[in-house]
Amino acid sequence: MGRSPCCEKQHTNKGAWTKEEDQRLINYIKLHGEGGWRSLPNAAGLLRCGKSCRLRWINYLRPDLKRGNFTTEENELIVNLHSLLGNKWSLIAAKLPGRTDNEIKNYWNTHIKRKLYSQGIDPRTHRPLINKGSTCLTREVEDSNSNSSGSCLTTEVEENPELNLNLELSIGLHPHKPTTKSPGGGGGGSCFSPILSTTDRVRNGNFLLQPHLFTCYTSST
DNA sequence: AATCATTTCAACCGCCTGGTG
DNA sequence: TCACCAGGCGGTTGAAATGAT
């Protein structure tokens, strides 16, 4: 038995949402709240798939969304969390109020990933790329104001086997951000690579992320 | 000004998970 | 225990915007 389609595709619109559709969705959710996504399109008079409605609301229409560029702090936090969680965008988004998983995912793919690569860091593992040839990684392109200590990025990365962390652990991110900002703000902010031992990672089933254990290795936007 | 290349990001798709009967 | 359903998630796509020539 196949799965039943989430909606009757022949009767649904696709593609960009119109203002009118947005308004209908907003009005409906204001009246009835979120949820019941499958029945929502009919009830709201929308020729859309329920999933599409949910996505539109979550990623674009929700009133508590923060639009605009990511701040240095957010940037740091994303890299930081990604090093711990991997592509668990929803978990990462949960730590960034007003940001959506989709937004963070996009930002990661278009900005952070490239930046890490340019700095010789494997965005997947958050470790230096095994790079053919060169020893220390050149900070090309960006970071012209590289006060960035030029320290070879490999230095502090421990031979930590895998970042395969237990994602069920609750992550107790310290609210105050690790203040290893480069002096004068020059070179932008910093991103952090957790250098954690296994024992640091887990204490009594809780994840303790300790700011001082982070190493600065990227610059901000 | 026109054309082509590249980048960005909203939206879609299909799979997975948890709840329920 | 199993099957079904709805919601949620991550990967991917493609149109629009922007930049380069």
Side-chain angles (χ1 to χ4, degrees), chain A residues 59-155:
Chain A
N59 288 331
Y60 205 81
L61 298 176
R62 250 169 49 199
D64 59 323
L65 284 182
K66 191 196 287 182
R67 315 292 303 179
N69 295 337
F70 282 77
T71 64
T72 303
E73 286 77 15
E74 287 174 317
N75 191 82
E76 291 170 358
L77 193 51
I78 292 168
V79 177
N80 181 359
L81 287 166
H82 187 274
S83 73
L84 297 168
L85 302 167
N87 296 357
K88 300 290 175 188
W89 306 117
S90 57
L91 291 178
I92 294 172
K95 299 289 176 189
L96 286 140
R99 301 295 188 184
T100 70
D101 52 357
N102 203 39
E103 194 179 9
I104 293 170
K105 180 172 57 182
N106 281 333
Y107 184 64
W108 176 267
N109 286 326
T110 57
H111 294 86
I112 302 180
K113 211 168 167 180
R114 191 183 319 154
K115 181 166 285 184
L116 292 182
Y117 270 127
S118 81
Q119 294 173 352
I121 294 164
D122 185 339
R124 213 166 41 85
T125 61
H126 292 259
R127 292 191 226 162
L129 291 161
I130 316 290
N131 89 355
K132 322 87 185 172
S134 79
T135 53
C136 206
L137 305 149
T138 49
R139 295 169 184 273
E140 14 188 86
V141 218
E142 23 208 324
D143 287 357
S144 44
N145 50 352
S146 61
N147 131 22
S148 21
S149 78
S151 64
C152 195
L153 297 167
T154 60
T155 52

Side-chain angles (χ1 to χ4, degrees), chain A residues 8-217:
Chain A
E8 307 223 6
K9 303 205 170 187
Q10 65 267 38
H11 295 127
T12 57
N13 291 340
K14 279 190 170 186
W17 281 63
T18 64
K19 286 209 183 324
E20 191 194 336
E21 287 177 312
D22 282 346
Q23 205 49 58
R24 277 178 188 269
L25 182 56
I26 291 168
N27 289 343
Y28 182 87
I29 291 177
K30 270 185 187 166
L31 283 175
H32 302 93
E34 295 182 39
W37 296 110
R38 218 162 263 232
S39 55
L40 183 148
N42 266 344
L46 287 163
L47 292 175
R48 289 277 178 175
C49 170
K51 278 185 166 188
S52 182
C53 295
R54 176 184 162 271
L55 219 59
R56 182 67 178 169
W57 174 255
I58 300 277
N59 288 331
Y60 205 81
L61 298 176
R62 250 169 49 199
D64 59 323
L65 284 182
K66 191 196 287 182
R67 315 292 303 179
N69 295 337
F70 282 77
T71 64
T72 303
E73 286 77 15
E74 287 174 317
N75 191 82
E76 291 170 358
L77 193 51
I78 292 168
V79 177
N80 181 359
L81 287 166
H82 187 274
S83 73
L84 297 168
L85 302 167
N87 296 357
K88 300 290 175 188
W89 306 117
S90 57
L91 291 178
I92 294 172
K95 299 289 176 189
L96 286 140
R99 301 295 188 184
T100 70
D101 52 357
N102 203 39
E103 194 179 9
I104 293 170
K105 180 172 57 182
N106 281 333
Y107 184 64
W108 176 267
N109 286 326
T110 57
H111 294 86
I112 302 180
K113 211 168 167 180
R114 191 183 319 154
K115 181 166 285 184
L116 292 182
Y117 270 127
S118 81
Q119 294 173 352
I121 294 164
D122 185 339
R124 213 166 41 85
T125 61
H126 292 259
R127 292 191 226 162
L129 291 161
I130 316 290
N131 89 355
K132 322 87 185 172
S134 79
T135 53
C136 206
L137 305 149
T138 49
R139 295 169 184 273
E140 14 188 86
V141 218
E142 23 208 324
D143 287 357
S144 44
N145 50 352
S146 61
N147 131 22
S148 21
S149 78
S151 64
C152 195
L153 297 167
T154 60
T155 52
E156 293 176 312
V157 177
E158 76 171 350
E159 289 304 308
N160 189 351
E162 17 63 57
L163 284 166
N164 182 15
L165 305 172
N166 181 355
L167 297 178
E168 293 178 351
L169 299 173
S170 67
I171 298 173
L173 269 183
H174 217 283
H176 82 272
K177 75 181 159 65
T179 51
T180 44
K181 263 199 186 317
S182 19
S190 48
C191 292
F192 307 96
S193 168
I195 311 298
L196 304 174
S197 70
T198 316
T199 51
D200 284 328
R201 288 183 188 140
V202 179
R203 297 227 177 98
N204 301 325
N206 285 322
F207 193 98
L208 298 177
L209 190 56
Q210 311 209 359
H212 69 277
L213 293 171
F214 287 89
T215 309
C216 165
Y217 64 65

